[in-house]
Amino acid sequence: MKLNSIALLCGLFLTGCQNTQTLNLSTPSVGTVSSIEQLDTQSLPLSSSTNIIISNATQKINSDNIQSPVINIALPINQGPLSIELTSKIKDSVFSPVAAIYDENQKIIQTIPASDFNYVKPRLSKGNRLVAEFSFFPSNTISAANLIIYTTQVELQKQTEVIHPARLDAEARGNYFPEAKDIPMPHALTGELVIDIKPYTSHSFFGSNSKENNTPKESLKVNEETVQYYSHNIQKAVSEDNIPKALSLLEEAKALHIDGAEEIFVNAINSK
């Protein structure tokens, strides 16, 4: 994959610091390709927030599985587990995202279907939008992971209904809703995305958006790769005499209800 690294100014180790930038991917070095490995790649660092403009000139894939403009993000997996929030702004239309994470061999290791994106009403400076929040636990067996974002022909036939401004105003004032129906917004091949990438912890980094949506989130499903990740890294931290890190990983594993995490920690200590 061709890699166009993005230089950002803010140091990654400054507490509370988050990089913000806008990418207009309207002049890619490739136009329409037939496979993922031919795509231009954007590298985003940890603790970053990036606006991405998808236009008619954005690179596209035309294959059996994908016929769509495509955004290809190299994830900073060397930093450990990630929390990712993907937002698609709703204006006169909306790009309805589908996403998948691929390894270095172009094998899908995680999918984020369109159904995972929830409609969120306007609040403060943020307008109508579709939002998905998910976590990624990179396996020790992979050397790279790319987040591929696109849409589908099925999604292009759909619409997203947004709240009528009169109803939104009445809600803000605590009044009864007027008789104003939601407004259907068509799905399109263009739009604007926001990608937020942060270190994963056992508590969501995006609690404010969850409150805005008022939709309960299902607890994270613990897959085998997640169990292997914590098992390996708890043992590794203990072997390196980094007990604070091992304890921190243990607490995260407990929060995820990973069975046997404490036993792994104790055995690692006893084997030293």
Side-chain angles (χ1 to χ4, degrees):
M1 293 185 181
K2 303 172 184 177
L3 188 60
N4 300 322
S5 295
I6 300 169
L8 299 174
L9 299 177
C10 187
L12 297 180
F13 299 105
L14 295 178
T15 302
C17 181
Q18 178 167 302
N19 298 309
T20 303
Q21 63 177 353
T22 298
L23 298 179
N24 190 333
L25 305 182
S26 299
T27 55
S29 62
V30 298
T32 300
V33 301
S34 58
S35 62
I36 289 171
E37 58 264 31
Q38 296 173 300
L39 291 168
D40 279 348
T41 303
Q42 300 294 329
S43 180
L44 301 184
L46 199 62
S47 300
S48 64
S49 180
T50 305
N51 296 320
I52 296 181
I53 308 298
I54 303 174
S55 74
N56 291 324
T58 299
Q59 62 185 351
K60 300 175 180 66
I61 286 184
N62 188 1
S63 68
D64 292 339
N65 299 321
I66 304 175
Q67 303 90 38
S68 166
V70 177
I71 305 301
N72 184 10
I73 303 297
L75 296 174
I77 63 171
N78 60 326
Q79 303 291 326
L82 304 174
S83 271
I84 301 171
E85 182 184 65
L86 182 55
T87 299
S88 185
K89 297 182 180 180
I90 302 174
K91 296 183 180 178
D92 294 333
S93 61
V94 60
F95 186 90
S96 178
V98 175
I101 298 176
Y102 288 73
D103 66 11
E104 67 273 20
N105 297 313
Q106 285 73 58
K107 176 185 176 183
I108 295 179
I109 50 181
Q110 185 170 329
T111 58
I112 303 91
S115 58
D116 280 6
F117 288 81
N118 298 308
Y119 166 64
V120 181
K121 294 180 288 187
R123 184 173 183 272
L124 301 177
S125 62
K126 296 181 179 180
N128 292 297
R129 56 207 185 276
L130 298 174
V131 181
E133 302 168 15
F134 55 97
S135 298
F136 176 55
F137 298 86
S139 166
N140 297 310
T141 62
I142 65 173
S143 60
N146 284 62
L147 176 65
I148 308 296
I149 306 165
Y150 58 99
T151 192
T152 67
Q153 294 302 312
V154 171
E155 285 304 307
L156 288 170
Q157 304 306 312
K158 297 179 181 179
Q159 298 175 324
T160 294
E161 292 191 344
V162 305
I163 189 170
H164 194 287
R167 287 184 58 207
L168 184 65
D169 180 69
E171 184 181 87
R173 297 171 184 273
N175 298 331
Y176 290 110
F177 289 157
E179 294 296 325
K181 295 182 178 180
D182 290 341
I183 303 171
M185 293 295 180
H187 293 181
L189 288 169
T190 59
E192 184 174 352
L193 305 177
V194 181
I195 302 176
D196 291 282
I197 303 176
K198 296 184 180 182
Y200 172 83
T201 69
S202 57
H203 301 288
S204 171
F205 277 85
F206 308 109
S208 58
N209 284 335
S210 297
K211 290 176 183 176
E212 292 168 20
N213 193 36
N214 292 323
T215 302
K217 298 286 183 183
E218 294 182 2
S219 58
L220 291 172
K221 296 177 181 178
V222 181
N223 55 38
E224 185 60 31
E225 287 188 350
T226 304
V227 175
Q228 291 177 1
Y229 172 86
Y230 280 98
S231 175
H232 172 81
N233 285 285
I234 288 172
Q235 295 177 72
K236 183 172 182 287
V238 172
S239 69
E240 295 172 349
D241 290 323
N242 193 344
I243 303 305
K245 180 178 179 180
L247 288 170
S248 177
L249 288 166
L250 175 59
E251 288 305 309
E252 291 183 13
K254 285 181 176 180
L256 289 170
H257 306 293
I258 295 176
D259 293 333
E262 190 163 355
E263 183 179 355
I264 290 168
F265 174 79
V266 172
N267 289 341
I269 291 291
N270 291 338
S271 65
K272 283 184 61 63

